[in-house]
Amino acid sequence: MDIPAIYSVFKNGEVTAAPVKIDGTDISFESEPAKPAFSAKDDDDRMPVVVVDVKGFGKRKMDDRLLTNMKFPGNDIWFMTNIKDIEDVIDGFMGNIMKLLVPCHTVRNDLVLKETFEVSEDCIPVLFVSQGRARYTEDRTKDVRTAVEELARTGFCDIAVFDTDSMLRADDWAALHDRYQDLIPFVRKKDRETDGIGFQRIICDL
């Protein structure tokens, strides 16, 4: 199942969106955000859509206005924003969302992730992976596997890996899938290294 990702901000009284550029963990709009060209579903088969809080990442603080105003009728909203502590996790569920995506690099410490797991089963930790953040030599997936293993030991079943600049190759994704069948790739390219491997859910830019 493909899950579309929409990079959004609340502006001029409505939820707007635009393509973004990502440098490491920094996310910024490439053009002026406008109303997203996303059609609401008109049947009973609800599908998720990921809403990425671009302003929240830029200011290192959740955008409350986006949280409380985003509506995509017929779709379940998965919200990814800057999360520092357990209070942010609780605040995140004040909006009309089904899942909260928690970037591991924004939390204050590992204890926040443990508390997050204890508070709600509807939270998905997200590992950002990029060339700029990597320390990879012979094995590009070594640090990713270690991080995923730590999250799995905490108790998380659903774990997302956000490959922001297409660093991971098909064999890297295959190795990760062999160990973690429930892993959720988050990729940006339409021509994807993840296709044909067997992932049940893949998040991809709209």
Side-chain angles (χ1 to χ4, degrees):
M1 174 176 65
D2 282 0
I3 302 172
I6 304 175
Y7 300 89
S8 304
V9 66
F10 187 74
K11 185 176 181 180
N12 298 326
E14 64 180 357
V15 175
T16 59
V20 295
K21 58 181 178 181
I22 303 179
D23 182 9
T25 59
D26 294 329
I27 304 176
S28 58
F29 287 116
E30 287 187 332
S31 58
E32 187 67 19
K35 191 171 182 179
F38 182 80
S39 300
K41 293 180 65 63
D42 57 2
D43 54 39
D44 294 329
D45 185 17
R46 297 181 66 87
M47 298 286 286
V49 56
V50 171
V51 177
V52 180
D53 178 10
V54 177
K55 181 179 177 181
F57 277 105
K59 292 186 174 295
R60 306 292 190 266
K61 183 179 180 181
M62 184 189 307
D63 184 355
D64 296 337
R65 295 204 306 163
L66 176 62
L67 173 66
T68 55
N69 283 281
M70 56 186 175
K71 295 180 178 65
F72 294 91
N75 292 89
D76 292 329
I77 296 175
W78 294 13
F79 188 45
M80 186 167 79
T81 186
N82 190 89
I83 298 292
K84 299 188 299 294
D85 49 36
I86 198 63
E87 285 76 17
D88 284 344
V89 173
I90 294 170
D91 289 346
F93 285 101
M94 294 177 66
N96 182 32
I97 71 167
M98 183 64 65
K99 301 281 186 182
L100 183 67
L101 276 61
V102 180
C104 295
H105 67 277
T106 69
V107 299
R108 285 179 177 162
N109 50 48
D110 290 344
L111 178 60
V112 175
L113 291 171
K114 293 178 182 177
E115 292 175 333
T116 295
F117 173 75
E118 293 170 358
V119 165
S120 176
E121 62 182 12
D122 291 322
C123 293
I124 301 175
V126 183
L127 295 166
F128 277 53
V129 178
S130 70
Q131 294 282 3
R133 290 173 56 81
R135 301 187 302 276
Y136 307 102
T137 53
E138 298 87 2
D139 184 353
R140 288 179 303 279
T141 65
K142 182 177 180 180
D143 288 350
V144 180
R145 289 202 311 269
T146 299
V148 171
E149 286 172 359
E150 291 174 354
L151 291 167
R153 284 197 295 269
T154 299
F156 291 103
C157 293
D158 290 337
I159 300 168
V161 172
F162 189 4
D163 187 5
T164 63
D165 56 8
S166 302
M167 184 191 80
L168 299 178
R169 301 173 184 170
D171 56 344
D172 300 325
W173 285 114
L176 289 169
H177 180 265
D178 285 345
R179 295 170 69 97
Y180 311 102
Q181 279 74 37
D182 292 330
L183 194 77
I184 306 172
F186 190 158
V187 295
R188 307 206 61 211
K189 293 170 58 179
K190 298 299 183 183
D191 181 18
R192 302 176 302 196
E193 299 283 355
T194 52
D195 289 346
I197 293 175
F199 290 106
Q200 295 300 307
R201 295 164 295 179
I202 299 175
I203 303 171
C204 186
D205 289 10
L206 181 66

